[in-house]
Amino acid sequence: MATTALPTTDRQYDSMPPSSDERSSLDQSMRYIFALVRRRLWFIVALLAISIAAAVLVTLLQTPSYTATSTVQINDQSESVLGEEMDSDSTANTGWDVDRFLNTQLEILRSRGLALRVGRRLNLFADERFYNAMEVESIGEGATEQQRENLVVALLQGNMRSSLPRQTRIAEITFTSTDPEISAQVANAYAEEFIQANLQRRYDSSSYARNFIEEQLQDARARLESSERELNAYAREAGLIRTRDSSSSGEGGGSTSDGSVTSASLSQLNEAANAARANRAQAEAAWQAEQAQPLLSSPTVLANPTVQSLMTQRSRLQTELAAAQSRYLADHPVVRELKGQLSATETQLTQTANSVRNSLRSDYQAAVAAQNELESQVAGLTGDTLAEQDRSVRYNTLAREADTNRSIYDGLLQRYRELNASAGIAASNLSIIDRAETPQSPSAPNLIHNILIGLVLGLVLAFAVVFLRDQLDDVIRVPEDVSEKIGMPLLGVIPYSEDDNPMEELADPKSAVSEAYNSLRGSLLYATPQGLPKVVLVTSTQTSEGKSTTSYAIARAIAKMGKRALLIDGDMRRPTAHRRYGIANDRGLSDLLTSNAPAQSVVQRAANEEFSVIASGPTPPSPTELLASNRFASILEELSAQYDCMIIDSPPVLGLADAPTMAALADGVIFVVESARSRRGMMKVALRRLQQYHPHILGAVMTKFDPSQAGHGYSAYYGYDYYRYTSDENASPA
């Protein structure tokens, strides 16, 4: 939202840092709300007074009612009487299940069944005192029992409240009626019946479980006996002798343990055959590797100790023979002896190596023979085992069925024993903490409470009405409305003149009006990238909004800066400049538009002012046609060389085409908006009409703004209080 631009000097000495866009928007919204509340203050006060009076009246007309409260502790597990394994009601709830359990208990407190138990306990179905306490009439003698029950249950459920405060297991049970004794009796009856109903449900549940398990146990016993007899009969018929282990039968979904000799022998022979195959494969691989190697290069041969010894001996003899041949002739006895020893050693080495290799072949042949023998035996036993397995299919099926029936029977028997041991022994997980006492003072009506409710409802209604009226109200009242309602930047805010004579206040440089127009001048100096616009058009939606005064103030403020300012009275239908500035109107703008006279020939000096004025001149038959001609543009071009700024005081936009025509030739358009008079609809129509000529709209100036009627914060926000000068020389500076 745009605000009034401040002069450079004001910004330079501003001690407050600039706020963020969010903070600025929030501050403006709060000011707008405060202003709205201030305008409708009496309406809001009247509505609040009516709401409070209505609350007091309702309080006086209400019958006093009394609320009694009893408290019950709800544990998520009961005490174990026979131990956790035997006591089925001692199971604990953990985690999120605890919350669900506690909420379930609260729903039981609100149930119809518990309300019936309370009604029967206190015999409320025929109790006239109870009906009087609930401020209802009894049904009468002709009412059925069901009708009485329905009425009493509805009254009990409608006036009983149960709650469970957070981080606690103490449930509060409250009952409200006009009779304090009835309230206490019903609250205590609810607590007692809540505990009794809990115990009854446990006993009923245990009794039903015992009867059910007993029936299931009888059926399981009969099925077990039948399956055992059928299994034994089939074993005798098929000639099968098996050793069965019921503890391991059926585990993991498998079959029963098999004690057959044939199956055991087949299993052992199959394992031996598998080992023989592995040995044969290993021996075959070793023999094939040995065949691929030269005799004395085989790692197996070289690893033999005898071969290693012979090879060492051969190397020694070769060395000695070489030494002897170097000293003796070939037929020397020493040489012949060494050659004989060497030949014998090599022969022995070859025989030993062949022996090592033959041992590998023998191992391989033995492994092949063992494998063939074992595979032959396995093949023989496989047929016997398959024949026996065909006869065992029915046996295994019957054995599984018998084992299953035995497991079911054992589980039911164990559970039946536990239920018989714990039948009729139950500890409640509920206990009464505080019994309800007869209340001594009424709980309702509460005058303070009702007044607060009336005050809140009155405030809600008042603000709803105020804001609804504000949304339907399209009058521009405060500066924020300029951007929010018409979407236009705000150039300045001109306060309302107390003596309804802004010209006199403009003459006083210390007045708020003068300061406001000086601020507007600062905004115009930075209104465009080039600075002060050359031609400024001042217009408004309707008449008497302050555009002529604004035009005068702008021209006067610019002239005081030492700039050459020219004010042009563009309203040739209702001219006012000649009377305001004391100049002649015999020649003016209309003469320039209808002739080729130089523009300077009609320029006059305003009385007691530093700026020049062009009056409107004699009223022409059709001002719009004159303004639409090229002559007006040439006049502005001619004057622009002689003046720094030209301000055109134009007619209103609505109903006339003069202002839009001149706006198309201006460098900037200022839209004057009168506070508390201009309406959003009219202004939007005027802006749409003006925008058809594609003008450069600088923004809006709000005139005749009374901050005292808009809210306490506006006067200080726009700086009006700051300029209340005092004649006291000792006054402290602001």
Side-chain angles (χ1 to χ4, degrees), residues 52-78:
I52 294 174
V56 173
L57 181 61
V58 169
T59 302
L60 295 177
L61 294 178
Q62 280 184 331
T63 302
S65 57
Y66 299 84
T67 300
T69 303
S70 62
T71 57
V72 176
Q73 180 178 353
I74 304 176
N75 297 319
D76 57 340
Q77 62 180 6
S78 60

Side-chain angles (χ1 to χ4, degrees), residues 167-189:
Q167 306 301 327
T168 181
R169 296 181 182 178
I170 306 298
E172 296 181 352
I173 305 173
T174 62
F175 190 81
T176 303
S177 70
T178 59
D179 190 328
E181 294 182 359
I182 292 293
S183 297
Q185 291 175 7
V186 173
N188 289 325

